[in-house]
Amino acid sequence: MQSLTDLKDNISFDDFKAEVLKDYKVAVTSRECSLLGRREVLTGKAKFGIFGDGKEVPQLAMAKAFKKGDWRSGYYRDQTFMMAIGELTVEQFFAGLYANTNLELEPMSAGRQMGGHFVTHSLDENGNWKDLTKQYNSSADISPTAGQMPRLLGLAQASKIFKEFENVNAAKFSVNGNEVAWGTIGNASTSEGLFFETINAAGVLQVPMITSIWDDEYGISVHAKHQTTKENISEILKGFQRDKDNKGFEILRVKGWDYANLIETYIEAGTIARNEHVPVIIHVTELTQPQGHSTSGSHERYKSGERLKWESEYDCNKKMREWIIESNFATNETLTNIERTIKREVKQQKTKAWNTFLDPIKKERNELVTLIHELSKSSSNSVFISKLKETLEVISEPTRKDILSHGRKALRYVIGESTLESTKLKNWINERFKAIQHEFSSHLYCETDKSALHVTEVKPAYNDTSELVDGRIIIRDNFDAIFSKHPETLVFGEDTGNIGDVNQGLEGLQAKYGELRVADTGIREATIIGQGIGMALRGLRPIAEIQYLDYVLYALNVISDDLATTHYRTKGRQKAPLIIRTRGHRLEGIWHSGSQMGGLLNLIRGVLVLVPRNMTKAAGFYNTLLESDDPALVVECLNGYRLKERLPANMGNFKTPIGVVETVKDGSDITLVSYGSTLRLVEEAAKQLTTVGIDAEVIDIQSLVPFDIHHDIVKSIAKTNRIVVIDEDVPGGASAYIMDKILNEQNAFEFLDSAPKTMSANAHRPAYGNDGDYFSKPSTEDIFEFVYDVMHELSPIDFPKLT
């Protein structure tokens, strides 16, 4: 798009005037949506509202510099920008506010996110990539403050990768790396650590990233004096400013109500970032928030009368209006007519969106009313059932909760009655539940043929010359094969590049494939994950290395809030198949024990959690994942890199199946289930148990999420009638998750002759040293005695109590 100066110089006055008035119409439309949106919440039609009023004009300027192929990573104030690039209509705005579950009508999230969270579709309905170079792109917003920043870094770095990688297929993803990643953030959210971590990393990496800081001096009710040193974020970021001797940022400042200078500033920023691959910060000051933070309160409670007066005078839409009149682009009468027309049109589109949302629900309500009426005529509880029908009929704006609640309550009155009418009602409720539940629960994981569950197992191949090597050699040689086979792959993390990771699993690969594909990073776990998310969104296949499983906690909010929800919150229209490589289980002490599995399992649903027992299994998982579209966390065994394994002959091609357990020892007396490093202890204990007449079956879980999709564990229990889950996590952690799967999903109760048991570590984190480990986590002796006690309870005569 052209700058204001370009427009003045290159087109006629009438055309330039038309461009300005077009922008003004977008700003007025956006403001009217905010005003009406708040009313819809306060009248009960919508649950919550958070809007972009007061930020309209700078977003118009941003849209003028934003080109097809570019990416946005912003937050919930950016509705004007989305309207300006043609990716949000008024009807869609209100469909989002009402949580319409129809993706065609509400393309931002199909009602899964509150309004104000924006996205464009990178995938078609079959999960195939669209041509991202020919459309404006927005990654899917999340609510957590500054949560958009780590992803922004990766979106920008992808341009650098595409520009400098020669062999990667950039079709549909990039045109010579010329794309800019545009981020937006509120001034108060710059207090978050994620903001500073991202800014520092972008300065180091020198990527085409532009960050707009919308500064209205408040963070909800808290003034900037409590948020930011010197009350000025660009002032304290001065040390990042580049100069002739040092790389860094270009930092620009502009007033948020100054339409002409905003456009010049954004064009300048876009040119710098696009042409020089230099990150830019635009500090947009003197902005306002006319309706306060959200519909949860009023800003009159915490802003002074003087401040409110200033905000009224410096409202960016008002100042743009004044500038238009002063510049003789339009008269007050002309603008008033424009505003009246827009007010009427927005109201009409709002009404249309509401009716489109409500009409299908009313239709379902009417269907149920008929079914309940017919039920009442055939039941002895007719009076009570008729009352339900009457209460449902009079609800003028029903929800699906209202409808199904009434239907389910009606069924209670016909318990024991078997009639055609009750059967019809049951079937209707079941059909509606199935259909509606899918609208809210689909696409947590990939649902196309690119699902990891559809990748066929390929076993490691061995021959007479297959030698025993350290496990790290298998990982290293497999990554070598991966980088040769998949030019879109790259790996990065702390100590990943120059020394080939702390356990030498990438030894020599940076020298072979270059510093961009096998890269060192700073100590900044959150943005390591963010880099991976952003690059995966743009078609690359990143492998983000977190040095130890314990350190994943530093990135947990990014994995949980962003990565794990990407496919779900876009209803399958964006994907980020990032592979997170880490290592854990049994090393030393409180901070390097690597056993946070219970927390991870509950917090990162949407990400596969894979726990291979050795490096061959781990390598097979990487090969499988690169054939699929699901993001995953792979936890290698920290104490397994020096253990000997046979070297497969088909590096890069063997694949470990996901969601499939493996029986590593057959047995008939009891089923022992475990994973990772602990499995080796279980195998040793099982071997020792045979000396006292106990034949244990040992099963390696391998994949915690998804879990045992073929229900092989319950098949084992049907044979042994006993189960012990052995885990090095805290009590109630991963062992509780595993037992829930076995008992509640696989229905193992019917086969049990003994109480199901879990054996875990102590509640505290592991103490340091060999003795600390021995007294903190299950040992071979602990496992032997625990299993023996289960058999003793079954048959004290055959298995006398251990002394």
Side-chain angles (χ1 to χ4, degrees):
M1 293 182 178
Q2 301 180 78
S3 71
L4 194 66
T5 301
D6 290 337
L7 287 170
K8 287 179 178 177
D9 292 343
N10 298 329
I11 63 176
S12 68
F13 177 82
D14 287 341
D15 289 339
F16 177 58
K17 180 176 74 171
E19 185 77 15
V20 171
L21 292 180
K22 177 184 174 184
D23 280 351
Y24 183 67
K25 289 175 183 177
V26 173
V28 173
T29 299
S30 178
R31 178 64 61 87
E32 194 61 31
C33 286
S34 297
L35 296 172
L36 278 181
R38 182 178 178 86
R39 292 176 199 168
E40 292 299 276
V41 174
L42 298 181
T43 57
K45 286 185 176 179
K47 291 286 288 184
F48 182 77
I50 193 161
F51 307 111
D53 47 306
K55 315 294 187 296
E56 293 92 347
V57 176
Q59 290 178 34
L60 295 173
M62 177 174 154
K64 289 197 175 300
F66 194 90
K67 295 185 177 182
K68 288 186 176 179
D70 285 358
W71 279 82
R72 167 189 169 274
S73 183
Y75 78 126
Y76 41 74
R77 302 291 183 197
D78 293 347
Q79 69 200 45
T80 308
F81 170 79
M82 294 298 290
M83 290 176 176
I85 63 171
E87 294 295 336
L88 178 68
T89 68
V90 172
E91 187 177 353
Q92 289 169 348
F93 173 90
F94 285 101
L97 192 66
Y98 302 139
N100 194 321
T101 58
N102 186 323
L103 189 65
E104 297 300 316
L105 299 172
E106 203 287 90
M108 299 302 140
S109 75
R112 296 180 177 191
Q113 296 212 77
M114 66 177 68
H117 293 69
F118 307 114
V119 72
T120 56
H121 295 182
S122 301
L123 310 175
D124 64 21
E125 62 274 13
N126 299 313
N128 299 314
W129 288 109
K130 299 168 70 176
D131 190 339
L132 306 184
T133 67
K134 295 181 179 179
Q135 66 178 44
Y136 300 114
N137 300 291
S138 174
S139 56
D141 294 345
I142 59 175
S143 290
T145 51
Q148 69 273 30
M149 294 301 295
R151 179 195 337 127
L152 173 65
L153 177 67
L155 291 169
Q157 190 185 7
S159 290
K160 184 172 184 176
I161 299 299
F162 283 122
K163 184 175 183 178
E164 300 192 26
F165 275 21
E166 293 183 359
N167 298 323
V168 67
N169 181 11
K172 294 188 177 183
F173 303 118
S174 178
V175 179
N176 301 320
N178 289 330
E179 301 79 23
V180 173
W182 301 76
T184 64
I185 189 169
N187 59 292
S189 295
T190 63
S191 301
E192 294 276 11
L194 292 179
F195 172 80
F196 282 95
E197 188 174 318
T198 301
I199 293 299
N200 182 58
V204 171
L205 293 171
Q206 289 293 285
V207 291
M209 182 182 100
I210 300 175
T211 303
S212 295
I213 302 169
W214 308 141
D215 192 345
D216 58 21
E217 294 191 17
Y218 283 84
I220 307 183
S221 67
V222 181
H223 190 265
K225 65 184 178 183
H226 303 295
Q227 305 273 4
T228 308
T229 303
K230 299 183 179 180
E231 301 181 32
N232 189 323
I233 187 63
S234 59
E235 180 68 22
I236 64 173
L237 291 176
K238 277 184 176 179
F240 287 95
Q241 174 67 51
R242 64 175 179 164
D243 55 42
K244 61 184 180 65
D245 298 317
N246 298 284
K247 295 179 179 180
F249 275 76
E250 188 65 30
I251 301 177
L252 307 173
R253 300 164 185 82
V254 63
K255 290 179 173 57
W257 47 264
D258 190 340
Y259 174 74
N261 278 325
L262 280 162
I263 293 176
E264 297 286 1
T265 300
Y266 272 89
I267 296 299
E268 178 186 358
T271 301
I272 292 170
R274 201 178 306 279
N275 295 345
E276 302 178 45
H277 272 211
V278 168
V280 181
I281 292 170
I282 306 176
H283 185 192
V284 184
T285 63
E286 296 191 16
L287 287 169
T288 65
Q289 204 152 273
Q291 298 186 105
H293 174 263
S294 67
T295 54
S296 62
S298 170
H299 64 160
E300 284 85 357
R301 293 183 299 163
Y302 50 83
K303 290 178 181 175
S304 67
E306 183 180 5
R307 172 68 191 190
L308 290 170
K309 181 182 177 183
W310 180 89
E311 288 200 9
S312 176
E313 292 175 358
Y314 282 85
D315 182 300
C316 63
N317 282 15
K318 182 179 180 180
K319 297 294 284 185
M320 183 180 181
R321 191 184 198 279
E322 292 171 356
W323 177 82
I324 289 171
I325 294 172
E326 290 170 2
S327 302
N328 294 319
F329 294 135
T331 64
N332 177 65
E333 182 181 5
T334 298
L335 296 182
T336 299
N337 289 334
I338 288 173
E339 291 153 2
R340 287 173 179 169
T341 299
I342 289 173
K343 191 179 187 72
R344 183 172 61 255
E345 290 174 347
V346 169
K347 188 173 182 180
Q348 290 170 347
Q349 292 301 304
K350 173 193 72 77
T351 301
K352 182 180 178 183
W354 176 248
N355 290 336
T356 305
F357 167 70
L358 191 60
D359 287 349
I361 300 175
K362 282 185 173 181
K363 182 175 181 292
E364 292 171 18
R365 189 267 308 275
N366 294 339
E367 290 174 1
L368 182 59
V369 165
T370 300
L371 289 170
I372 294 177
H373 177 66
E374 292 301 318
L375 183 71
S376 69
K377 292 194 295 186
S378 65
S379 174
S380 59
N381 287 314
S382 175
V383 173
F384 301 104
I385 296 172
S386 295
K387 188 171 182 61
L388 282 173
K389 177 185 79 75
E390 292 165 5
T391 58
L392 181 58
E393 277 182 314
V394 298
I395 300 175
S396 60
E397 296 174 347
T399 65
R400 289 194 165 99
K401 175 185 174 182
D402 294 328
I403 296 167
L404 288 169
S405 176
H406 279 74
R408 295 166 81 180
K409 287 176 181 176
L411 285 178
R412 298 176 190 174
Y413 290 112
V414 292
I415 293 174
E417 298 180 17
S418 182
T419 64
L420 177 62
E421 290 75 17
S422 65
T423 300
K424 285 183 178 180
L425 178 57
K426 288 176 188 176
N427 290 341
W428 187 90
I429 289 173
N430 289 337
E431 289 169 4
R432 293 314 305 149
F433 236 107
K434 183 178 180 181
I436 297 168
Q437 189 69 61
H438 184 267
E439 295 297 321
F440 291 103
S441 301
S442 69
H443 294 92
L444 181 59
Y445 302 97
C446 178
E447 297 184 0
T448 71
D449 58 1
K450 296 290 285 182
S451 165
L453 298 180
H454 295 157
V455 179
T456 303
E457 178 182 13
V458 176
K459 293 185 179 297
Y462 302 102
N463 52 45
D464 293 340
T465 62
S466 295
E467 57 182 323
L468 282 174
V469 298
D470 288 348
R472 73 169 188 91
I473 300 297
I474 294 173
I475 284 287
R476 182 198 67 187
D477 289 359
N478 193 72
F479 275 129
D480 190 4
I482 283 173
F483 295 141
S484 177
K485 181 180 181 181
H486 301 282
E488 70 277 13
T489 56
L490 63 161
V491 64
F492 46 92
E494 298 160 19
D495 297 305
T496 295
N498 185 39
I499 68 170
D501 89 41
V502 290
N503 296 103
Q504 300 288 278
L506 296 165
E507 179 190 24
L509 297 186
Q510 186 181 78
K512 184 173 182 179
Y513 293 102
E515 293 185 6
L516 276 180
R517 288 194 72 187
V518 184
D520 285 312
T521 70
I523 300 176
R524 48 175 183 78
E525 288 78 11
T527 47
I528 289 173
I529 299 300
Q531 282 177 254
I533 296 172
M535 287 191 281
L537 284 168
R538 293 192 60 187
L540 295 168
R541 291 308 306 262
I543 302 168
E545 180 171 316
I546 302 298
Q547 195 164 87
Y548 298 114
L549 182 62
D550 307 70
Y551 304 167
V552 169
L553 298 182
Y554 286 87
L556 187 55
N557 54 343
V558 183
I559 301 172
S560 178
D561 293 331
D562 199 352
L563 179 63
T565 66
T566 296
H567 204 55
Y568 171 77
R569 72 180 189 268
T570 64
K571 204 174 183 180
R573 294 308 175 94
Q574 285 192 350
K575 62 182 178 182
L578 168 64
I579 299 172
I580 303 170
R581 180 194 182 209
T582 189
R583 49 193 68 83
H585 316 304
R586 295 189 174 264
L587 184 61
E588 297 291 349
I590 293 174
W591 315 119
H592 298 84
S593 58
S595 296
Q596 295 81 14
M597 300 308 300
L600 292 173
L601 287 168
N602 286 294
L603 292 169
I604 64 170
R605 300 294 173 90
V607 175
L608 309 185
V609 180
L610 309 177
V611 283
R613 68 178 182 271
N614 59 38
M615 299 306 150
T616 304
K617 291 291 184 180
F621 276 139
Y622 293 122
N623 297 337
T624 298
L625 291 168
L626 287 169
E627 300 292 332
S628 68
D629 274 351
D630 286 300
L633 171 68
V634 181
V635 185
E636 298 170 11
C637 293
L638 188 50
N639 57 5
Y641 294 105
R642 304 298 179 206
L643 298 180
K644 300 298 182 183
E645 301 179 37
R646 292 184 71 194
L647 187 67
N650 53 340
M651 283 296 180
N653 294 315
F654 61 88
K655 301 179 182 68
T656 307
I658 288 174
V660 179
V661 304
E662 182 179 350
T663 300
V664 296
K665 178 188 175 299
D666 290 321
S668 58
D669 293 329
I670 190 168
T671 299
L672 308 181
V673 175
S674 191
Y675 63 90
S677 295
T678 302
L679 187 85
R680 291 198 292 273
L681 303 184
V682 175
E683 288 184 276
E684 178 59 30
K687 189 184 301 182
Q688 296 175 13
L689 284 164
T690 61
T691 66
V692 293
I694 299 173
D695 185 16
E697 184 146 294
V698 179
I699 296 178
D700 180 9
I701 293 170
Q702 299 194 108
S703 168
L704 285 165
V705 179
F707 184 89
D708 189 13
I709 60 174
H710 300 311
H711 289 193
D712 289 325
I713 293 175
V714 76
K715 295 171 189 174
S716 173
I717 296 170
K719 176 175 62 172
T720 67
N721 308 119
R722 277 162 287 282
I723 174 70
V724 177
V725 174
I726 302 152
D727 179 35
E728 63 177 76
D729 197 10
V730 296
S735 58
Y737 164 84
I738 294 165
M739 191 62 81
D740 174 72
K741 291 285 185 179
I742 295 169
L743 297 182
N744 292 327
E745 287 192 13
Q746 300 189 10
N747 298 312
F749 269 118
E750 61 179 300
F751 301 112
L752 290 171
D753 291 340
S754 298
K757 299 281 189 177
T758 61
M759 182 184 186
S760 64
N762 289 316
H764 59 78
R765 292 196 181 192
Y768 174 66
N770 290 337
D771 285 347
D773 179 81
Y774 189 80
F775 286 94
S776 300
K777 294 187 175 186
S779 65
T780 303
E781 292 74 31
D782 293 330
I783 297 166
F784 179 99
E785 293 166 7
F786 193 96
V787 174
Y788 187 91
D789 283 348
V790 173
M791 300 305 292
H792 166 73
E793 292 176 7
L794 173 71
S795 180
I797 295 175
D798 292 329
F799 305 102
K801 190 171 182 63
L802 289 172
T803 57

